[in-house]
Amino acid sequence: MFVADEPGFSGPIENVTAPLGREAVLACAVHNLSTYKVAWLRVDTQTILTIHTHVISRSRRVGVTHSDHRTWFLHIRELRETDRGWYMCQINTDPMKSQLGYLDIVVPPDIMDRGTSTDQTVREGASISLTCAATGSPQPQINWRREHSKTIPLANGSQVTSLEGPVLNISRVSRQNAGPYLCIASNGVPPSVSKRIMLTVEFPPVITIRNQLVGAALGTDLVLECETEAYPKPVSYWSREDGEIVPIGGSLEPQRIAGTYRSILRLPLRRIKTSDYGAYKCVSKNSLGDTEGTIKLYPMSPPALENKNVIQRLNIMMDKASESTPFGTQDFRLQDYNRAISRDQFTFVFLISILVIDTMS
């Protein structure tokens, strides 16, 4: 039989979700409480937490408040994952009345050292698996990315910018796959976290020479260059055809190209002599192998330059010839000749003929 003044619940307890370390508050609304009392219990352990305004629990994190004895609030501060579960609001009637509410604790992701790959070194052509293990509530999702938006190779030959899953498999690793990989864990609870895993690829030296045949004139300066690519870091040097090593040092040591396995090896040649002509070998060695490339230096004639003395000499000869040769007559005018024939066509034969005339005079 229904009794109007009998205490009861005004509505269900709303489930609460709160982040780790914060405070959660569960509300229990009642009516007609009169002299009856409200208690809060932890269901799974059957532990009494509060009765009326008194805290029974020994935990300093638990508290109770009310709003005009109509809504009773259970406070749990500094939330822990162990606080997750069902809680009961109870009225001490006979028989007892109760209802349940659920407290869920969300935990931001955390990447565990155990189960997560550290920096890896692998031989080119081998396969490797990178793993990433994370905890959190809800369970985090794992995404793999590379720095600078580089692509990730898949087994089917395609390339992607991100890949989901706790394991990243790379088949037939190449040097292009080397570099940092990011394992990113997220579950909707900020902040997301990531770990940087460096993949290093080992391979024997490769040499690139852009100009294998180089010409230079005696007395000029020249710098020979070759590019090496290898890991571990190679020992690189220059040698002549007879095997003699050409010493270099200081600022001429191989210069590493940032962010790559490549280095540039330079050999400066100053005031080239006849003995400098011939073959130069760029040699590179590491623990996985060695290779070499050859540059041949051959002699060249010096570039043609305008000789003002020759021009002046020609003018003198022209003046001298005007006194004793037909060149001095009004019928021959050099400016008319130049107007008809361009400077580029003012041939060497004409110049020689004037020199011959000058010599004969």
Side-chain angles (χ1 to χ4, degrees), residues 146-159:
R146 294 185 69 183
E147 288 188 353
H148 311 300
S149 300
K150 291 184 178 180
T151 56
I152 299 173
L154 300 182
N156 61 7
S158 61
Q159 304 276 334

Side-chain angles (χ1 to χ4, degrees), residues 262-275:
R262 300 196 302 274
S263 298
I264 295 179
L265 189 64
R266 294 184 174 93
L267 177 62
L269 301 174
R270 309 297 185 194
R271 299 184 184 86
I272 291 176
K273 308 180 296 295
T274 302
S275 60

Side-chain angles (χ1 to χ4, degrees), residues 275-295:
S275 60
D276 292 329
Y277 294 118
Y280 291 81
K281 291 184 178 180
C282 175
V283 184
S284 187
K285 301 179 179 181
N286 70 4
S287 59
L288 303 180
D290 60 82
T291 189
E292 62 183 37
T294 301
I295 299 178

Side-chain angles (χ1 to χ4, degrees), residues 207-212 225-227 280 282 292-295:
I207 284 181
T208 302
I209 295 178
R210 305 194 183 281
N211 297 302
Q212 295 180 321
E225 285 190 357
C226 83
E227 184 178 291
Y280 291 81
C282 175
E292 62 183 37
T294 301
I295 299 178

